[in-house]
Amino acid sequence: MPKIHFDHIEKSFGTVRVLPPLDLQLNDGEFTVLVGPSGCGKSTTLRILAGLESLSAGEIYFDDAPISHLAPKDRDLAMVFQDYALYPHMDIARNMSFALRLQRAPRAEIAAKVQRVAEMLNIAHLLDRKPAELSGGQRQRVAMGRALVRDASTFLFDEPLSNLDAKLRAKMRTELAEMRDTLDKNMIYVTHDQIEAMTLGDRIVVMSEGVIQQQGSPEELFKTPANQFVAGFIGSPTMNFLGGSLAREADRLWVRGDGFLLPLTDEQSGRLNGNTPGDVSVGIRPSSFSADPKVGAPIELHLAVSEYLGAQSVLVTRCGEEEVLVEYDSATPMKSGVSMTFGVRPEDIMLFDRASGARL
Amino acid sequence: MVSHELTTPDLKSERRVRHAPRFFNMNRLTPYFFLAPAGAVLAVALLYPIGYMIYASFLSWNPSQRIHEADWIGLRNYTNLLKDPNFIESFFVTLKFASVVVTLEMVIGVGLALLLDRKIRGMSVLRTIFILPMMIAPIVVGLMWRYMYHPSVGILNRTLKGWGLDPIPWLSDPDWALPSVIIADVWQWTPFIFILSLAALQSLPQSALEASRIDGASTWQQIIHIKLPLMLPVLIIAGLLRLIDAFKVLEVILVLTNGGPGLSTEILSLRISRTTSEFRELGEAAAMSNYLLLLLLIITLGMFLFNKVMDMRQQRLRAAAQEAG
């Protein structure tokens, strides 16, 4: 499988620049997820790679060979579209075999390949139907099947699950994860859903406004986000951000805000030494709150609403004027309207520059 | 107390039920009241003339006679026509004209649409220019082309002369007259196919076209395997509409050749018009009109049938999808 290198690619539509220079290197055989809010340029990046959009500047390399001058069909890739993009007038077998038929592959070989992929995806009984006769999930499978039959080196997925209902989406996500493990292919997957990104990606590339905010393994992004955007985008429920300022007291750094005073770890203090911005954003994940106030530093929260989700509940609380989400074990009954003290370990506190959003 | 509150609404609804039939009837009639004016117009402007024409086709009727003075001759007009070589020739001229014209218009119209379905600057102006001929009154089109076909001062023959070629007897030669008439009609009505094809092209699913590019389809393969099959329902309807129109064409040919030379361009509608005004055989003309009507009816029914089949197919597919999902 080729290594893919986006070398400072740019894209403008007229005077509107949708991708500022973007540089990205993808490793061989990796499942890469491009994730970000809509309009962040992730789909454009994928479509440029597919050859459906032209480049305004820069170059894409497959193993050091430039490919931006090649037509889509000569790039050895297959793509699954958000709306499946099946050919409505062809039955499923003909949909899946279209590329092979254009290549004039031997008929027996085409039939064998289609049959094998169809069995793998459990759609063998649908081969003589038209796309309009299938349910959304089945169409999705056919779209994947059409890509798999091609046997291309690189698979592109453009939000393939976003037209499915929640239950089906979870199921297809699992199947995709299985496919990822059995197929030794480059896979590039675009989504706006961070759960899909976290569960599927070997490497996640978080984008916003055409700029790569951070790339790394799901764990890296969750544990060491580079900035406030990534911290807020990855993880569910989303991270809480509280306004605060740094203060030095009793020989260590504290962060003080409306209704809380939390100590920083020595490591954080060391990093910040000599460089102490006044205003910071304090990031605490909902899962970082402990019911035992003796764990770490205490913080008092006023409980507004409890959202029961099963084993876990999400408590919507207030700290001063700001809303704070807390993940909490449902076994302990909670009453709204009361104040409660939680414990937060200093190492679970992340600090971000209020102006730039950069992690401190 | 409680039971009283419960029974009151029940009594009310029962009373409503007793009054319901009359209201129901009124409601059922309301749509017909609203439809009545349109129905009246339809009866006077459409059904009456057709009935009149059918009745007239059984008469031997001279325009100097009142209709009730004409002799009833039964089906003789129809049988006479079938034996009339001029009518038969006129019928085949019409058939030839319509089939050639529609074929050419479909090929050129769809071809142009495929060519112009892209984003180029000035394309909207170009598209507007392309559909201009359709908006010109047929009489004017006939006159325009008559001047262009003029043997000595027409632009076509002057151009030929400029290139050192022999002039062509566009309208005066029996072999050239029909092609000349066909060219004028193709010029005027290709835009109709063009705009419908363009609309069909622009409503094609973009992602399917993109998928076909990734699957390796060249521009031609895209057209043959994806675009044309998906446009087909629109193209069939457009073609049938044009066919119906082509069978009825009159003005352009009337102005250009008036059916000549000989009977080389005498299409049916022209023959009908001449039968009334020159031969003064109103009954025979009516019978001819009915033959034409019958032919068009068959095409129209074919079109409806096609629509019906497509609808049923859609419904069946949707039902299957629901079952599957």
Side-chain angles (χ1 to χ4, degrees), chain B residues 130-147:
Chain B
F130 269 115
I131 61 172
L132 270 179
M134 211 172 75
M135 304 183 209
I136 304 173
I139 285 280
V140 179
V141 172
L143 286 171
M144 258 168 54
W145 279 92
R146 201 165 83 179
Y147 288 125

Side-chain angles (χ1 to χ4, degrees), chain A residues 73-74 76-77 97-106 109-110 113 149-152, chain B residues 214-217 221 225:
Chain A
K73 64 182 171 118
D74 299 323
D76 190 23
L77 36 82
S97 62
F98 187 60
L100 296 177
R101 282 187 287 128
L102 289 178
Q103 290 164 13
R104 300 194 184 284
E109 186 192 320
I110 294 178
K113 270 190 181 170
V149 166
R150 294 274 311 282
D151 213 19
Chain B
I214 290 181
D215 272 346
Q221 285 170 327
H225 294 297

Side-chain angles (χ1 to χ4, degrees), chain A residues 47 83 87 89 132-133 135 150, chain B residues 207 210 212 215 225 317 321 325:
Chain A
R47 290 169 60 81
D83 60 356
Y87 310 124
H89 58 295
E133 289 174 272
S135 67
R150 294 274 311 282
Chain B
S207 60
E210 286 177 344
S212 73
D215 272 346
H225 294 297
L317 292 182

Side-chain angles (χ1 to χ4, degrees), chain B residues 22-37:
Chain B
R22 215 175 68 200
F23 271 110
F24 191 53
N25 270 342
M26 283 296 281
N27 276 337
R28 268 210 326 193
L29 287 179
T30 314
Y32 298 103
F33 283 124
F34 285 110
L35 283 175

